Amino acid sequence: MPGIDKLPIEETLEDSPQTRSLLGVFEEDATAISNYMNQLYQAMHRIYDAQNELSAATHLTSKLLKEYEKQRFPLGGDDEVMSSTLQQFSKVIDELSSCHAVLSTQLADAMMFPITQFKERDLKEILTLKEVFQIASNDHDAAINRYSRLSKKRENDKVKYEVTEDVYTSRKKQHQTMMHYFCALNTLQYKKKIALLEPLLGYMQAQISFFKMGSENLNDQLEEFLTNIGTSVQNVRREMDSDVETMQQTIEDLEVASDPLYVPDPDPTKFPVHRNLTRKAGYLNARNKTGLVSSTWDRQFYFTQGGNLMSQARGDVAGGLAMDIDNCSVMAVDCEDRRYCFQITSFDGKKSSILQAESKKDHEEWICTINNISKQIYLSENPEEIAARVNQSALEAVTPSPSFQQRHESLRPAGQSRPPTARTSSSGSLGSESTNLAALSLDSLVAPDTPIQFDIISPVCEDQSGQAKASGQGGRRTNPFGESGGGTKSETEESILHQLFIVRFLGSMEVKSDDNPDVVYETMRQILAARAIHNIFRMTESHLLVTCDCLKLIDPQTQVTRLTFPLPSVVLYAAHQENKRLFGFVLRTSGGRSESNLSSVCYIFESNNEGEKICDSVGLAKQIALHAELDLEEQSRLIAASSRPNQASSEGQFVVLSSSQSEESDLGEEGKKRESEA
């Protein structure tokens, strides 16, 4: 081909500098050709890979369209129109897949093969010859250098022969290698043009063949089918746009309405608490104990279903039973310095669960809802209306009003004073009068205008606190185990009985009767209802020390006595019939709210143990106090007998003391005072 520069092969033996300079130009051109052809090869290989991928993807698409009718979509019905349409598309795409497969084969043969041959054979040949020529040239230069150093004075025929032979061999090798190298470089100029044009020609011919096959498959019938499908797609798009516009408007309205709800604890004035609910659902944190003192909190979704509290973890298909809340008890508690905690205790007291709400509103609504469900209001025809009436009745029961007080005064006979109380002995009084007292009204058990006290401040110990201050013993630390820290022993330290219990004070209120355990049960109900309605959730924890002389509430941190209840003044004590952790006692004091000199105040507590055990301990202290003149062995026998488990009655654990026992204890105290004055 004219116009192509060549290396002079006949000048290879002379190996002049001009020849070497021209060789450098050809080598530089070969390097540029190699770099460019490598880039072109990568681009064409991408076309080939893409075509192979397109062919495989098209075939897979056709296969999936055929399998559409076998799919079972949860939200999709049997759409025969869609199935038949996709089957038609599957046939067309399958034909296109065959065309793409033919195109891939043609590209491999007509485009990739020529450029691959040039890259792998011709360019590598140039690189190999270049390396061989460089080695031969270096060997020739070294042989000439040794030949030039032959000595003229000390000629050695053998050495001269070897050097001469080495020059001959190296020069011959260089000459032959150089001629082949020049020939390859000259040929590369032709091969470069072929390697550039032949792959492009094959690519274009393959594409033309592919388009011809496509035009044969795309007939008029297919065009009509595609037009109908396009019209259907436009109709679906218009329907979608209309639906999206409606949803966007709904989203904007919900964003405006829900903005205050994004706050974890919303303003209660804007979102009032619904206390008449019998169904509720939401996320709560559940406390799970992992050790003696360690615990974890898991966030789960809780909802009520009839008389059951259900829980469902995120990702679960259905919820599981968390607790049966029929006839259960629920109250707010303090737990691990967390807010909005409440505790649910089952009707038999064997199972309890501590949950944490996210906000104060949710906290109160959960407590009210579970309270309503525990009363089985959900079984009625109109549960919310009945729940509203029950809550209103509870609110009136714990919130005195003038009309309620006037009704109470109108029912009381004029000039009536409190009759002297007549009590049976403690040996046969367990549950003996519950049937008669069940028919009494609320006014016969609790004074209608009685406030409820939720803190440990009582007029019971005012006189005692005054005496303690006078004697310089106010705020003295009390050792709950009766160990003496000084030379002088108090009455508590001399007592033979010391039993300590952990209790939490729920509240106290004045009662009108102290001769039946129903008084304690009714007080428990009103105090728990008042705490739930008036959002009073905190409880003060104390140590209850039971001795033969008194009951003491001791601060667990400072060991300072908070309250002292003289044992002779405790005339009635009982545990809750269902929630065994609740117990209370009635204290008879002087100077109460009633017109008579004596008044009765009922104190309600929650314990970590069973309330019956505390009642047994108080009963034992009463027995020891009544038999104080017995010898030490008799008292020890009573203590040993009390350690054996007692069988509680079906009505709950309670003891009513006779008036003779209380009066005898009071007379004993007055006699001691008179003797001291004498």
Side-chain angles (χ1 to χ4, degrees):
M1 179 180 290
I4 296 180
D5 295 331
K6 297 181 181 180
L7 286 170
I9 299 177
E10 58 274 7
E11 297 180 2
T12 53
L13 181 61
E14 182 180 0
D15 194 15
S16 64
Q18 290 80 5
T19 304
R20 284 294 183 107
S21 177
L22 185 60
L23 176 62
V25 174
F26 273 77
E27 288 179 344
E28 184 178 355
D29 182 72
T31 302
I33 292 174
S34 177
N35 293 335
Y36 177 78
M37 294 305 292
N38 283 332
Q39 295 178 9
L40 184 62
Y41 171 81
Q42 292 177 0
M44 291 185 174
H45 201 280
R46 288 181 62 183
I47 294 175
Y48 176 68
D49 291 342
Q51 183 59 42
N52 287 335
E53 181 64 24
L54 180 60
S55 176
T58 308
H59 178 70
L60 179 60
T61 302
S62 174
K63 182 180 178 181
L64 291 176
L65 292 178
K66 290 179 181 179
E67 295 177 353
Y68 176 82
E69 59 182 2
K70 301 179 182 179
Q71 303 298 319
R72 294 294 180 267
F73 298 101
L75 299 179
D78 296 334
D79 192 349
E80 296 181 357
V81 176
M82 179 63 71
S83 298
S84 61
T85 302
L86 294 182
Q87 289 295 325
Q88 183 68 23
F89 270 114
S90 174
K91 294 179 181 179
V92 176
I93 294 177
D94 192 24
E95 294 177 0
L96 292 178
S97 175
S98 301
C99 297
H100 282 293
V102 174
L103 177 60
S104 298
T105 304
Q106 291 178 349
L107 290 178
D109 296 338
M111 182 181 71
M112 294 307 301
F113 181 74
I115 195 171
T116 303
Q117 286 290 99
F118 178 75
K119 177 176 176 292
E120 298 294 334
R121 185 182 63 183
D122 299 332
L123 292 180
K124 282 188 176 181
E125 180 185 5
I126 295 295
L127 293 176
T128 303
L129 289 175
K130 181 179 180 180
E131 293 177 359
V132 173
F133 170 70
Q134 191 66 36
I135 294 172
S137 179
N138 293 336
D139 292 343
H140 178 260
D141 291 342
I144 292 296
N145 191 20
R146 286 195 301 272
Y147 180 78
S148 300
R149 291 200 303 269
L150 288 175
S151 176
K152 183 175 67 172
K153 296 179 180 181
R154 294 176 297 176
E155 292 185 0
N156 189 337
D157 294 338
K158 182 178 180 181
V159 174
K160 183 178 179 182
Y161 175 78
E162 292 178 355
V163 172
T164 304
E165 187 69 20
D166 191 14
V167 170
Y168 171 79
T169 304
S170 61
R171 181 170 291 175
K172 181 180 179 180
K173 181 179 180 181
Q174 178 189 359
H175 184 227
Q176 293 176 352
T177 304
M178 196 172 183
M179 287 190 296
H180 287 289
Y181 185 37
F182 277 26
C183 180
L185 288 175
N186 291 335
T187 308
L188 183 64
Q189 301 301 314
Y190 297 95
K191 292 181 178 180
K192 176 182 69 172
K193 298 180 182 295
I194 297 173
L196 284 172
L197 297 177
E198 191 173 6
L200 295 176
L201 180 62
Y203 173 76
M204 295 304 299
Q205 290 177 348
Q207 292 291 345
I208 292 173
S209 176
F210 172 75
F211 291 142
K212 286 182 178 180
M213 288 187 294
S215 62
E216 294 175 358
N217 293 329
L218 297 176
N219 50 25
D220 296 338
Q221 184 178 0
L222 181 60
E223 291 182 0
E224 183 180 357
F225 169 74
L226 295 178
T227 303
N228 295 334
I229 297 300
T231 304
S232 300
V233 170
Q234 293 298 326
N235 295 334
V236 174
R237 186 179 298 278
R238 282 194 294 270
E239 184 179 353
M240 180 191 67
D241 293 339
S242 176
D243 198 7
V244 167
E245 184 178 357
T246 303
M247 289 189 292
Q248 290 292 342
Q249 184 62 39
T250 304
I251 291 174
E252 293 177 2
D253 296 341
L254 288 177
E255 286 180 350
V256 175
S258 304
D259 186 68
L261 298 178
Y262 298 149
V263 182
D265 199 356
D267 189 0
T269 58
K270 298 181 180 179
F271 299 94
V273 178
H274 301 285
R275 305 185 184 277
N276 306 327
L277 301 176
T278 55
R279 291 188 303 173
K280 186 167 177 61
Y283 280 96
L284 295 172
N285 293 328
R287 181 174 180 263
N288 299 318
K289 295 203 68 175
T290 58
L292 294 177
V293 295
S294 60
S295 61
T296 60
W297 293 81
D298 297 330
R299 189 168 186 261
Q300 291 187 350
F301 186 81
Y302 283 82
F303 59 95
T304 60
Q305 192 175 67
N308 298 324
L309 179 65
M310 314 292 288
S311 65
Q312 183 176 359
R314 183 173 293 176
D316 291 350
V317 178
L321 178 63
M323 181 180 292
D324 182 5
I325 53 178
D326 270 341
N327 299 319
C328 73
S329 62
V330 59
M331 64 179 64
V333 294
D334 287 336
C335 186
E336 298 182 5
D337 196 23
R338 284 178 173 248
R339 301 185 303 167
Y340 311 134
C341 294
F342 59 95
Q343 176 175 317
I344 308 173
T345 306
S346 60
F347 68 96
D348 55 1
K350 294 181 179 179
K351 184 177 181 180
S352 63
S353 179
I354 296 179
L355 303 173
Q356 181 190 20
E358 186 178 279
S359 64
K360 183 178 180 181
K361 176 179 179 293
D362 282 345
H363 180 246
E364 297 179 16
E365 285 186 353
W366 272 107
I367 292 178
C368 294
T369 302
I370 295 175
N371 264 327
N372 295 335
I373 294 176
S374 67
K375 300 171 185 176
Q376 298 184 348
I377 297 177
Y378 65 93
L379 297 175
S380 58
E381 294 183 357
N382 195 348
E384 291 192 3
E385 182 179 350
I386 296 178
R389 291 204 303 265
V390 171
N391 290 330
Q392 184 63 28
S393 300
L395 184 62
E396 292 175 355
V398 299
T399 307
S401 61
S403 60
F404 188 79
Q405 184 175 358
Q406 292 171 4
R407 181 173 63 86
H408 172 72
E409 295 296 339
S410 64
L411 293 176
R412 178 182 296 175
Q416 179 183 0
S417 60
R418 179 172 180 173
T421 57
R423 297 173 176 82
T424 61
S425 62
S426 60
S427 60
S429 61
L430 292 176
S432 61
E433 298 181 3
S434 60
T435 305
N436 296 331
L437 199 62
L440 296 178
S441 64
L442 180 65
D443 295 347
S444 64
L445 297 177
V446 180
D449 56 347
T450 302
I452 298 177
Q453 189 140 351
F454 298 103
D455 199 1
I456 306 181
I457 301 175
S458 176
V460 175
C461 58
E462 288 181 355
D463 298 336
Q464 296 177 359
S465 62
Q467 294 174 4
K469 291 179 181 179
S471 59
Q473 297 177 355
R476 186 179 64 84
R477 293 178 180 267
T478 302
N479 191 333
F481 300 100
E483 297 178 358
S484 176
T488 304
K489 294 183 178 181
S490 64
E491 294 179 359
T492 303
E493 292 170 341
E494 293 176 356
S495 175
I496 191 173
L497 176 65
H498 290 83
Q499 290 190 346
L500 192 68
F501 303 94
I502 299 177
V503 297
R504 287 173 290 278
F505 181 70
L506 294 177
S508 64
M509 61 187 300
E510 186 176 344
V511 295
K512 296 180 62 178
S513 175
D514 56 10
D515 55 359
N516 193 281
D518 285 350
V519 177
V520 180
Y521 304 151
E522 179 62 26
T523 306
M524 289 179 181
R525 187 193 69 81
Q526 292 202 21
I527 288 178
L528 292 179
R531 278 182 166 270
I533 292 175
H534 295 294
N535 304 327
I536 302 174
F537 303 134
R538 295 189 176 275
M539 296 182 290
T540 304
E541 185 172 282
S542 303
H543 288 169
L544 177 64
L545 179 63
V546 180
T547 67
C548 299
D549 302 311
C550 61
L551 306 180
K552 284 190 176 183
L553 287 179
I554 301 172
D555 191 323
Q557 302 294 332
T558 63
Q559 297 300 316
V560 173
T561 301
R562 290 173 172 168
L563 280 181
T564 301
F565 305 102
L567 196 61
S569 300
V570 179
V571 295
L572 174 65
Y573 45 92
H576 196 275
Q577 294 172 321
E578 296 175 353
N579 188 355
K580 302 302 182 182
R581 299 174 64 181
L582 297 180
F583 77 97
F585 59 82
V586 178
L587 194 74
R588 184 183 299 166
T589 61
S590 60
R593 293 169 53 87
S594 61
E595 297 176 358
S596 61
N597 294 330
L598 297 178
S599 64
S600 299
V601 180
C602 185
Y603 293 83
I604 304 300
F605 296 88
E606 180 192 36
S607 66
N608 291 342
N609 312 94
E610 293 186 4
E612 295 178 357
K613 294 182 179 180
I614 301 178
C615 293
D616 292 340
S617 179
V618 177
L620 175 61
K622 282 286 189 180
Q623 293 181 29
I624 295 177
L626 292 175
H627 300 82
E629 296 181 358
L630 296 179
D631 54 7
L632 183 60
E633 295 180 357
E634 183 65 18
Q635 295 181 8
S636 301
R637 184 186 64 80
L638 290 173
I639 295 177
S642 68
S643 63
R644 294 191 292 270
N646 296 331
Q647 296 180 351
S649 64
S650 60
E651 297 295 328
Q653 181 78 8
F654 63 89
V655 172
V656 182
L657 302 177
S658 63
S659 59
S660 60
Q661 294 173 351
S662 299
E663 292 171 359
E664 182 181 348
S665 300
D666 296 339
L667 292 175
E669 295 294 332
E670 293 176 359
K672 291 180 182 180
K673 291 180 180 179
R674 291 172 183 173
E675 290 178 1
S676 62
E677 291 175 358

